[in-house]
Amino acid sequence: MADTRTITVTVNGRVCSREVETRLTLADFLRHELNLTGTHVGCEHGVCGACTVLVGGVSARACLMLAVQCDGREVATVESLADGDELNPLQQAFRDNHGLQCGFCTPGILMTLTEFLRDHPDPGEAEVRDVLSGNLCRCTGYQAIVAATLDAAKRMRGGA
Amino acid sequence: MKPAPFVYHDPRTVAEACDLLATRENARVLAGGQSLMPMMNFRYAMPDHLIDLNRVDELAYLRCEGEVLRVGAMTRQRDLEFSPEVGKRCPVLREALSHVGHRQTRNRGTLGGSLCHLDPSAELVNVAALLGGTLHVVSKGGARDIPFAEFAVAYMTTSLQPDELLAGATLPLPARGRGHAFAEFARRHGDFAIVACSALIGLDRDGRIADAAVALSGLGHAPVRPASIERALRGEKPGAAAFKAAAAEAGGFDAVADAYVTAAYRRHLARVLVYRALEQASMRALEAGNG
Ligand SMILES: Cc1cc2nc3c(=O)[nH]c(=O)nc-3n(C[C@@H](O)[C@H](O)[C@H](O)COP(=O)(O)OP(=O)(O)OC[C@H]3O[C@@H](n4cnc5c(N)ncnc54)[C@H](O)[C@@H]3O)c2cc1C
Ligand code: FES
Ligand code: FES
């Protein structure tokens, strides 16, 4: 018999209750149960960072957490960033600076940076490169991602 | 669905966790999941019972008490990294943490998980060897302490019994005025080190080395504290001659080889990193003395 539990998770502000197998990862819960396919799944063993989401405001690999571990907690995914069709400043900076090409890595990078820029509103380039070490991008060569991040930080500080 | 089926348990107390460990067959403890979850996703690890410690609050604590640092097994790597007390009293630990994976993995990964996983070149394992900590272990039957030097018994294998849980560690803080260094070589930032070397150096009033601690990892299944090097440094003037002699000695140690890295290359790295660590630790000891 499959081991299941009923969990209640607040995802992007919405309270979601589901009965899930306890071995279901958070990434698969978001994608398959809630149809939030913005969270991407690349390696499923913690290396690529594509699945990064915020759990309780803190960035984490969704492929290395179980959905049951999020029972009673708040999760934020890339879908929480834009307001309808309106991109948030971080997303807009990525668009303006060509911070993405295929876009596969982008959701994880945006969530990593959402946490980072909240805690470090005025980062230096070295710090940005350091925090990006946990997200693999095979397209851009990172240059444009770093530029977009620094630009976003500036816009968010109100200096656009 | 990646991991094979298991029964999930989320105890709230150490006593409940120990009881589960003692009574369930093929049970495994889940800490930060940053090593165990990948193994389960690959189905290298297929526990029948998964005992999640993330809701056992009493296992997460961090306190500087006099000359020791007391850390709970479930204390997150990020909490160690961002602790002002750790930064001040044990900067070698903070420096080591900056090499452990990435921001997202340190947000979840724990001290206890890293020590129990016991990767031969894990940075926290190296620092525990450098500081010479004591591990506090609990089981349904009782509790015992294990000196860190006796914790590793084989490749990625600890001296924990199947029904035992690591509850926490007591790490002696470096004495005041000690210079520290943590040097490693990894393919990319955030990867496990191929070889890592940490060091603590204290100088006497004449500027000679009064005491030296060195931990070298990546050569065998656990870090070594090379007594011959530590002894030979005592009484020496910190400088190229002493560091070169220590480095040459490290370059002669036995080393393992694997599909990626030859033994000769590991010895080469040991030589270079011992030199760098001693140089930087001595410099910092000098600064601490002048400052
Ligand atoms: C992309 C990536 C890069 C990484 N890079 C590094 C690196 O550079 N250096 C490094 O050191 N690590 C690295 N790691 C691994 C590190 O992040 C893990 O945190 C650490 O190895 C295990 O800690 P954990 O808390 O995640 O434990 P888990 O993965 O939950 O557990 C690890 C093992 O320890 C056992 N265990 C855990 N807690 C206890 C306990 N209290 N008592 C008994 N047994 C216990 C578990 O059963 C399991 O066997 C990396 C991981 C990823 C995903
Ligand atoms: S899918 Fe989670 S880190 Fe790659
Ligand atoms: S934009 Fe293609 S992987 Fe980053």
Side-chain angles (χ1 to χ4, degrees), chain B residues 54 108 114 141 166 237 260 262 270 283:
Chain B
N54 282 280
R108 296 287 309 162
S114 180
L166 178 65
K237 264 259 180 269
Y260 301 105
T262 62
M283 198 118 74

Side-chain angles (χ1 to χ4, degrees), chain B residues 3 19 25 31 47 78 86 127 129 140-141 153 165 198 210 214 220 224 250 262:
Chain B
D19 197 53
E25 286 284 317
R78 69 172 267 138
V86 169
V127 172
K140 197 172 178 200
V153 294
L165 191 77
S198 60
V214 175
V224 286
T262 62

